[in-house]
Amino acid sequence: MIPDEKLQELRDRIDIVDLIGRYVGLKRAGKNFTACCPFHQERTPSFFVNPERRSYKCFGCGVWGDGLDFVMRMDGLGFLEAARHLAGVFGVTLPEGLVDRKSNEQQLELEKAREITQVAADFYREMLESRPEGKLGRLYQQQRAISPELAATFMLGYAPAPAESGSWDRLKLHLQSKGCDLALAEKLGLLVRSDKGSVYDRFRGRLMFPVLQSNRKPIAFSGRILPEYAKDADGREAPKYLNSPESLLYTKSKTLFGLHVAGQAMSRARRAILVEGNVDVVSMHQRGYVETVAPLGTALTAQQAAILKRFTDTVVLCFDGDNAGRKAIRAAIPILLEEGLDARVVALDPGADPDSTDPKRLAALLEEPGSALEWLVKQWVAQGALDSIDAQERAIAALQPLLGKVKSDAARERYAERAAKLLRLPVGRISSRQSPHGPQGPQGNRAAPSPPSRHAASPSAPARPLPELPRHQVALLALLVDNPHLAEKAEQAGVQHYVTDRRLSPIAEMVVRQALVGENPTEGELLELIPPETRRQVHDAVFVGTFRDTQDDPVMLLKDCILDCRREQLKAESRRLDVQLREAKERGDLDRARELSLKKIEHNRQLANLDEHALIPPSQPPSGLRA
């Protein structure tokens, strides 16, 4: 195993924000970074990365760890595999001959599978870059205007055809020479077995696109046939793309081609562009649209939409302008809406694809992509949705479940208004028939039920909305979180008497107590003090940097916040006294009514004095808050 001092050096060198940012779209939240958790499905972020501690934690599902743990979880690597990968990324030299004695048989098979896939990727790459057998591959790369730099970024390669290499098993022989397990290579789909039992290469005469994980390690391949080999000797057409079958390394529905480059670009661009094919992805990257990815030989899946959601809230569909492209768009729209994504469509000309579209026209289309739902209604209109009342009704029936998937009430209403205009109907004909859950209730017309909320009391119980946080207590706590140097004055003023909500008081107590001894607890440590179902609500209200960059006097802000909290307490007590006084009068209990009346007068006096106190000039703060 790795010596302790080397392991510590590796952990110290890992830039955890840079590392995790390759897998999810991180956003700064105070001293930390946050994102939707990659380990469970969620719509609002509960996953935090702490750069000071070089650690991460999800307050939704509870996973936590350092950079090594994260890579092991995300990529399914063993400890030693993850360490070797991260050592290469962050420039740490590990000793030779390390052996992970804890690896089980399954992990050892995974390691062998990754080694075989890497050997194959290197073989294809060498063929394309320098071998005589790769001449046609290099010519095709030039014809598609794929630069050498981009070919290296995507690790493009070439699988030679028998006419070029003189055999059907050039890769098999290479794997054999490297001591690779041929039976495992067959399981990975690199080799195939004929009816007669002979084993030969699956990919031949194809430009090879490795499917790369975020760590740039290949897990599968997609091969694009060269025009010269599009038909065999008998005139039968070969499939345009040939993809690796699913394997112990690769699940097609959970992978997006180009994500290893596009992930961080999506976060910066605040959108993802989804195209159909691998060549389209490379072409779009060549044009500068680095946020582009593609599904792999299949329609978009819910898992792939969830991956996109990690990085952005907006997805632009830029599929081919033929019937197949339009069909793929129609299939993708409900999946994106279900994930809470803003779905947009770039309508390419009939027969065009992103690679063949004029760059200026493509840029103009991508500048302002249209709403996916509007595009869909226009398609229905073009197909005769206005021809009869029945056709209009069918369009409305098809639209309702899609509107039900739109998460924003305001956006849903605007979509309904636009659809009504296109269908030449009163808006009430659409909006009055739809609800946030579609026409058939919470599960109406959905492909699958939504995942249960983290706040649900039990798997079968509906999620109950949490009571609203008291806004003045929130402001006071946010001020203390952003300005812990106020702790001594806050304690003198008795801040514990003003932050009383059970979701806020433990945090206020910890902030003050730790600040008094020179400590500054992290957001994660503070949020752990309160029940899990309240953490998201409190984070969004308190840890947003409200008072971090303010130019106002923080001591005066503290005074104002405390006065606001006290005023709110007095008003709440007055309301309770009003109720009790009314009940005492209704019972005829005059003694109790007189007692409550006197209390009410006292509360009103205190409230009036408090309002006068608030008008004291800044040079005369109340006792306990003097500078």
Side-chain angles (χ1 to χ4, degrees):
M1 292 299 293
I2 304 171
D4 290 343
E5 63 274 11
K6 272 294 176 184
L7 189 57
Q8 190 58 51
E9 180 188 353
L10 175 60
R11 287 191 160 116
D12 290 343
R13 292 282 289 275
I14 292 172
D15 182 338
I16 197 163
V17 174
D18 173 68
L19 173 65
I20 295 180
R22 303 179 188 198
Y23 295 82
V24 296
L26 293 174
K27 295 180 181 178
R28 182 174 286 280
K31 291 185 177 181
N32 297 334
F33 292 81
T34 186
C36 286
C37 180
F39 302 116
H40 80 287
Q41 192 173 18
E42 62 178 2
R43 299 194 187 281
T44 55
S46 60
F47 179 85
F48 288 83
V49 178
N50 186 322
E52 292 181 358
R53 298 188 175 213
R54 299 185 177 90
S55 65
Y56 69 90
K57 176 158 185 176
C58 176
F59 291 95
C61 65
V63 298
W64 61 277
D66 60 11
L68 269 167
D69 296 304
F70 183 83
V71 169
M72 290 170 67
R73 285 180 184 273
M74 283 298 294
D75 296 333
L77 303 180
F79 179 82
L80 188 55
E81 269 192 300
R84 282 174 174 155
H85 165 63
L86 291 173
V89 171
F90 293 104
V92 176
T93 303
L94 298 181
E96 298 291 335
L98 295 172
V99 177
D100 190 347
R101 296 185 179 88
K102 293 183 180 179
S103 292
N104 56 28
E105 289 185 12
Q106 184 180 20
Q107 188 62 45
L108 289 172
E109 186 180 33
L110 282 169
E111 291 177 14
K112 287 182 180 179
R114 292 190 183 95
E115 181 182 350
I116 291 170
T117 308
Q118 186 65 60
V119 169
D122 293 340
F123 169 81
Y124 294 138
R125 185 86 187 109
E126 182 183 356
M127 287 289 162
L128 182 65
E129 280 193 308
S130 58
R131 301 287 293 184
E133 300 96 315
K135 181 179 178 180
L136 284 178
R138 291 189 290 274
L139 180 61
Y140 185 70
Q141 177 187 337
Q142 293 171 7
Q143 290 170 348
R144 300 305 298 253
I146 300 172
S147 69
E149 295 78 17
L150 207 57
T153 297
F154 283 89
M155 291 177 59
L156 300 191
Y158 181 64
E164 299 163 302
S165 64
S167 71
W168 285 62
D169 57 359
R170 184 64 187 273
L171 174 64
K172 185 189 86 170
L173 295 174
H174 180 74
L175 293 172
Q176 206 166 27
S177 71
K178 295 290 185 179
C180 295
D181 184 337
L182 296 186
L184 185 52
E186 190 177 343
K187 284 176 65 176
L188 294 170
L190 290 165
L191 307 177
V192 292
R193 186 177 296 271
S194 71
D195 295 338
K196 297 180 179 179
S198 60
V199 177
Y200 59 95
D201 300 348
R202 172 186 290 272
F203 299 101
R204 305 176 307 280
R206 293 179 180 271
L207 190 68
M208 297 299 290
F209 297 82
V211 180
L212 303 175
Q213 290 181 300
S214 295
N215 61 10
R216 290 188 55 79
K217 296 296 182 183
I219 56 173
F221 296 91
S222 179
R224 206 283 186 195
I225 195 71
L226 263 59
E228 290 82 356
Y229 303 113
K231 293 184 179 181
D232 64 16
D234 297 326
R236 292 173 299 191
E237 287 196 8
K240 185 176 180 180
Y241 282 99
L242 186 62
N243 299 315
S244 294
E246 295 197 349
S247 69
L248 65 166
L249 293 181
Y250 171 57
T251 303
K252 184 165 50 177
S253 64
K254 298 179 181 178
T255 312
L256 288 162
F257 180 77
L259 188 65
H260 71 290
V261 181
Q264 291 178 315
M266 289 178 195
S267 298
R268 292 192 297 269
R270 297 183 179 179
R271 70 176 184 184
I273 300 175
L274 197 67
V275 296
E276 288 187 68
N278 305 343
V279 172
D280 290 332
V281 171
V282 177
S283 173
M284 291 289 281
H285 281 242
Q286 187 81 47
R287 295 188 185 194
Y289 303 109
V290 190
E291 66 271 28
T292 305
V293 292
L296 285 142
T298 184
L300 183 72
T301 66
Q303 296 98 319
Q304 290 167 335
I307 292 172
L308 294 172
K309 180 70 173 177
R310 293 184 204 159
F311 297 95
T312 183
D313 292 323
T314 302
V315 176
V316 180
L317 299 168
C318 188
F319 290 178
D320 295 355
D322 55 13
N323 289 333
R326 289 189 289 272
K327 182 179 179 182
I329 292 174
R330 287 194 291 270
I333 289 172
I335 294 170
L336 295 174
L337 293 177
E338 188 72 51
E339 192 58 38
L341 290 159
D342 179 8
R344 304 257 160 191
V345 172
V346 166
L348 298 181
D349 295 333
D353 59 31
D355 189 35
S356 64
T357 300
D358 176 75
K360 290 184 178 179
R361 172 163 173 72
L362 184 63
L365 291 170
L366 286 168
E367 186 71 26
E368 294 185 7
S371 151
L373 282 180
E374 185 172 335
W375 175 90
L376 194 57
V377 175
K378 287 179 178 178
Q379 291 285 306
W380 294 337
V381 170
Q383 294 166 10
L386 301 180
D387 291 350
S388 68
I389 293 176
D390 286 344
Q392 285 178 318
E393 287 297 318
R394 286 195 296 272
I396 294 173
L399 181 63
Q400 296 291 16
L402 296 177
L403 284 172
K405 297 177 190 296
V406 178
K407 306 305 175 186
S408 163
D409 292 340
R412 192 183 314 115
E413 195 60 32
R414 287 198 299 273
Y415 284 137
E417 290 172 1
R418 184 60 181 152
K421 184 175 181 180
L422 291 169
L423 293 170
R424 300 178 187 174
L425 293 168
V427 67
R429 292 282 290 112
I430 295 176
S431 60
S432 65
R433 289 173 49 167
Q434 67 86 30
S435 73
H437 302 295
Q440 299 179 22
Q443 302 304 332
N445 283 351
R446 292 191 177 194
S450 295
S453 166
R454 297 197 316 274
H455 307 314
S458 70
S460 59
R464 294 182 179 179
L466 294 170
E468 187 176 350
L469 290 165
R471 64 187 183 92
H472 295 307
Q473 293 186 38
V474 165
L476 177 53
L477 180 54
L479 178 65
L480 293 175
V481 166
D482 291 343
N483 297 273
H485 63 277
L486 295 174
E488 185 175 352
K489 294 186 182 301
E491 185 186 43
Q492 291 171 0
V495 71
Q496 70 273 15
H497 299 301
Y498 302 109
V499 182
T500 56
D501 188 282
R502 68 179 184 86
R503 296 161 290 181
L504 305 176
S505 57
I507 296 176
E509 182 184 348
M510 170 71 85
V511 168
V512 172
R513 187 173 68 245
Q514 293 290 88
L516 290 174
V517 296
E519 297 291 332
N520 186 17
T522 65
E523 288 178 33
E525 291 170 330
L526 294 172
L527 289 171
E528 283 187 314
L529 300 172
I530 59 177
E533 67 272 14
T534 67
R535 291 170 183 166
R536 175 80 266 136
Q537 183 189 32
V538 171
H539 170 266
D540 290 347
V542 174
F543 296 93
V544 291
T546 306
F547 297 101
R548 190 170 295 122
D549 301 316
T550 182
Q551 301 300 311
D552 295 329
D553 179 358
V555 174
M556 289 307 302
L557 284 172
L558 179 62
K559 182 199 75 168
D560 290 341
C561 287
I562 286 178
L563 289 176
D564 286 339
C565 288
R566 179 58 181 153
R567 185 179 295 109
E568 190 58 42
Q569 287 176 345
L570 289 171
K571 287 180 178 179
E573 184 60 26
S574 287
R575 289 192 293 269
R576 285 193 291 271
L577 287 171
D578 285 337
V579 173
Q580 293 171 7
L581 181 58
R582 186 175 64 251
E583 291 174 347
K585 289 179 178 179
E586 289 173 352
R587 293 194 308 268
D589 189 346
L590 298 182
D591 290 338
R592 177 61 175 161
R594 275 192 295 270
E595 178 187 348
L596 291 169
S597 294
L598 291 173
K599 283 188 177 182
K600 178 70 188 265
I601 292 170
E602 174 61 19
H603 269 78
N604 289 341
R605 185 189 65 79
Q606 291 183 33
L607 190 57
N609 289 341
L610 195 66
D611 288 333
E612 290 177 9
H613 202 154
L615 298 175
I616 294 176
S619 60
Q620 302 176 41
S623 174
L625 290 176
R626 298 187 185 276

